[in-house]
Amino acid sequence: MAATESLGGRILAAALCLPGLAEPAHADGAPDQGLIAFKYLDYLDYQPGRERVRIRAPSLHLLLPLSSRWALGATAIHDAISGASPAFHTRAISQLQDERHAADLTLTRFFDDASLGLTAAYSNEADYRSRGLALSGSWSTEDRNRSWSAGLGLSKDVINPVTRLVVDEKKRVLDWTLGLTQVLNPRQVLQLTLGHNRARGYLNDPYKVSHERPRARHATRLLLRFNQHLEDGGQTLRWSLRHYQDSYGVRAQTAGLEFVQPLPWSFSLTPSLRLHNQRRAAFYVEVDPEAAPFATQPPEDWLQFSLDQRLSSFGARTLGLKLAWQPTPDWTADVKLEHYAQRGDWYLGSGSTGLAPFAARSWQVGLSRSF
Amino acid sequence: MRRPSWLVLLGLLGLLGLSGLSACSITPVQPWEKGLLAKKAMGFEADRLEAGFAEHIYTSKEAAAGGAGVGASGCGCN
């Protein structure tokens, strides 16, 4: 990008890089700087008296401008998964151990007012392999104040649980999105995204008992995000609201709030709050206290049923705190702590009962450099 | 053929409405006014790796999933 050789050109280029700075494909011109980023996640979830799943995940992201019209992005992640998971509701907890390797590669072509990106992705575990392709594009108005985006993704998965309950089961997911990002004024930007996916095939968790999910699932989500730069202290507020519903009968509302507070010496502190409210799937079987310690039996006339805690009615909240340091324009280091808690009686309505309180904590550290 | 859900229709109407509203009533922001908007904190996906972790973690604990992008590959966590 020849215009970025001068200081004025750089400021203008930065201003034109809106909206949506790092999403997969944008009609904003190819990035004029490369980026290499490393992040390490340590995650643990638990219920009273019992640790459940622990994940340690180093990950790497590379963004490489190839020319003024082309850019290449790549991400690789390794998950080391250990711990234990319940076979039904929050009981019958059995050990698990697995490793997951995943990578994706995105090639993006930039046009004057548009961009087109193609992503290939691969993920492999001992019992699960997933391959996917996604095409994403965007188009901006000439003044760069409005940008339309669209995406289409297809993944094909193969499931081979170590228990050999099923062999070579397949799952296909087709996913599309349509979005609009609008600059409202010099301090506010709004984004609305509609997404829909259709999954077919083996949608069960093979390690759960009394678990028979439908073999098709259609899900729709509507996501509204709003970023606002505050006038006085230079803080940024980031709001998000999502409504989700699917053919299982799940309805969920998720709200997020992040507050970026600049600090002296190039530090910034970002507290965050996420609230989630989820109505259970139509075939979720509530806990029968009299059945304990055995699994609750689903009604005899139900063809689909599940005792999976994730399909129950609950409310959840996440509290987070992120400290970032950018000592030079090219280097960034950050550390983030989060705590998550999920309860049936936090659901706005009549939540699921009989489940043990569930919680998780995580920390992550990251380092990135532009070049 | 399945009828589109009310949420799909609402989303499409919202996208069209926002587009129409912004075309009629929002004063265009000039390039030289976009300095604050260009800050990293004002981006929607400023940290790709962090966003990836969050999506993966919530997919493994909750039934609802998905955000602004299309998922290119799955995992055995849900």
Side-chain angles (χ1 to χ4, degrees), chain A residues 310-358:
Chain A
R310 294 168 293 189
L311 297 175
S312 64
S313 291
F314 61 82
R317 65 150 198 253
T318 308
L319 293 170
L321 190 64
K322 178 179 179 177
L323 180 68
W325 182 44
Q326 189 171 8
T328 72
D330 293 338
W331 284 95
T332 303
D334 58 72
V335 56
K336 184 175 184 182
L337 309 172
E338 277 192 318
H339 182 268
Y340 173 89
Q342 186 184 108
R343 303 276 191 282
D345 55 10
W346 288 351
Y347 175 70
L348 300 175
S350 180
S352 294
T353 56
L355 296 168
F358 178 59

Side-chain angles (χ1 to χ4, degrees), chain A residues 266-284:
Chain A
S266 305
F267 283 93
S268 69
L269 192 65
T270 308
S272 59
L273 172 68
R274 176 185 183 271
L275 299 172
H276 179 76
N277 189 59
Q278 174 180 307
R279 189 183 83 180
R280 68 183 179 89
F283 52 88
Y284 172 75

Side-chain angles (χ1 to χ4, degrees), chain A residues 16-84:
Chain A
L16 293 181
C17 276
L18 283 163
L21 292 171
E23 290 179 296
H26 284 281
D28 305 320
D32 61 341
Q33 277 195 306
L35 175 75
I36 184 164
F38 171 81
K39 193 147 281 194
Y40 180 86
L41 169 75
D42 186 306
Y43 167 89
L44 174 69
D45 59 39
Y46 52 90
Q47 62 186 63
R50 188 71 197 245
E51 291 188 352
R52 283 171 46 171
V53 175
R54 179 155 202 174
I55 300 173
R56 295 180 176 95
S59 66
L60 194 65
H61 174 62
L62 180 68
L63 176 66
L64 202 60
L66 302 176
S67 71
S68 62
R69 293 291 189 182
W70 292 90
L72 187 68
T75 304
I77 184 167
H78 170 77
D79 288 344
I81 306 158
S82 60

Side-chain angles (χ1 to χ4, degrees), chain A residues 203-217:
Chain A
L203 306 181
N204 277 340
D205 181 333
Y207 303 110
K208 303 286 186 197
V209 299
S210 280
H211 193 65
E212 191 64 48
R213 298 183 185 185
R215 289 183 68 89
R217 185 179 194 180

Side-chain angles (χ1 to χ4, degrees), chain A residues 100-297:
Chain A
R100 172 175 174 260
H101 299 91
D104 63 62
L105 197 64
T106 301
L107 183 65
T108 306
R109 169 74 161 95
F110 294 88
F111 304 90
D112 288 342
D113 294 319
S115 68
L116 194 61
L118 179 67
T119 300
Y122 180 78
S123 172
N124 191 50
E125 297 164 66
D127 51 3
Y128 199 100
R129 191 185 72 217
S130 177
R131 288 172 296 182
L133 276 177
L135 189 65
S136 57
S138 71
W139 172 80
S140 292
T141 53
E142 195 176 347
D143 62 9
R144 302 288 197 271
N145 285 325
R146 186 187 309 156
S147 175
W148 287 92
S149 66
L152 182 66
L154 174 68
S155 68
K156 293 186 172 186
D157 303 353
V158 181
I159 301 107
N160 276 300
V162 294
T163 55
R164 311 292 288 174
L165 179 71
V166 296
V167 177
D168 281 338
E169 272 285 8
K170 308 282 194 301
K171 174 181 166 184
R172 304 276 185 273
V173 182
L174 181 67
D175 194 9
W176 62 258
T177 60
L178 188 61
L180 175 65
T181 306
Q182 176 69 49
V183 173
L184 300 176
N185 59 47
R187 295 179 182 277
Q188 295 177 332
V189 59
L190 183 74
Q191 185 183 69
L192 183 65
T193 307
L194 173 66
H196 182 79
N197 73 62
R198 291 175 170 248
R200 288 191 181 279
Y202 187 77
L203 306 181
N204 277 340
D205 181 333
Y207 303 110
K208 303 286 186 197
V209 299
S210 280
H211 193 65
E212 191 64 48
R213 298 183 185 185
R215 289 183 68 89
R217 185 179 194 180
H218 306 151
T220 305
R221 60 192 185 272
L222 190 59
L223 173 67
L224 181 68
R225 296 195 283 187
F226 176 69
N227 291 351
Q228 179 178 18
H229 189 87
L230 301 182
E231 205 159 329
D232 295 334
Q235 303 96 338
T236 303
L237 266 175
R238 296 197 287 246
W239 305 81
S240 69
L241 283 172
R242 182 187 68 177
H243 179 82
Y244 169 97
Q245 64 182 46
D246 68 24
S247 57
Y248 282 8
V250 174
R251 301 283 183 274
Q253 299 78 35
T254 309
L257 175 63
E258 296 177 327
F259 182 79
V260 185
Q261 172 67 56
L263 298 174
W265 301 299
S266 305
F267 283 93
S268 69
L269 192 65
T270 308
S272 59
L273 172 68
R274 176 185 183 271
L275 299 172
H276 179 76
N277 189 59
Q278 174 180 307
R279 189 183 83 180
R280 68 183 179 89
F283 52 88
Y284 172 75
V285 181
E286 296 284 355
V287 174
D288 177 1
E290 294 183 2
F294 303 106
T296 303
Q297 292 301 305

Side-chain angles (χ1 to χ4, degrees), chain B residues 15-41:
Chain B
L15 289 168
L16 288 173
L18 179 61
S19 177
L21 179 74
S22 56
C24 297
S25 61
I26 296 176
T27 306
V29 177
Q30 301 302 318
W32 56 87
E33 297 179 300
K34 292 183 178 176
L36 295 175
L37 295 168
K39 286 180 177 288
K40 187 178 177 185

Side-chain angles (χ1 to χ4, degrees), chain B:
Chain B
M1 187 176 166
R2 275 177 62 90
R3 289 183 301 161
S5 74
W6 67 266
L7 189 58
V8 172
L9 295 174
L10 180 68
L12 291 172
L13 281 174
L15 289 168
L16 288 173
L18 179 61
S19 177
L21 179 74
S22 56
C24 297
S25 61
I26 296 176
T27 306
V29 177
Q30 301 302 318
W32 56 87
E33 297 179 300
K34 292 183 178 176
L36 295 175
L37 295 168
K39 286 180 177 288
K40 187 178 177 185
M42 287 291 284
F44 285 109
E45 301 286 352
D47 190 328
R48 185 183 167 122
L49 293 175
E50 186 181 323
F53 282 150
E55 179 68 20
H56 192 191
I57 286 172
Y58 288 121
T59 299
S60 71
K61 290 197 295 253
E62 298 171 350
V70 284
S73 76
C75 70
C77 53
N78 195 22

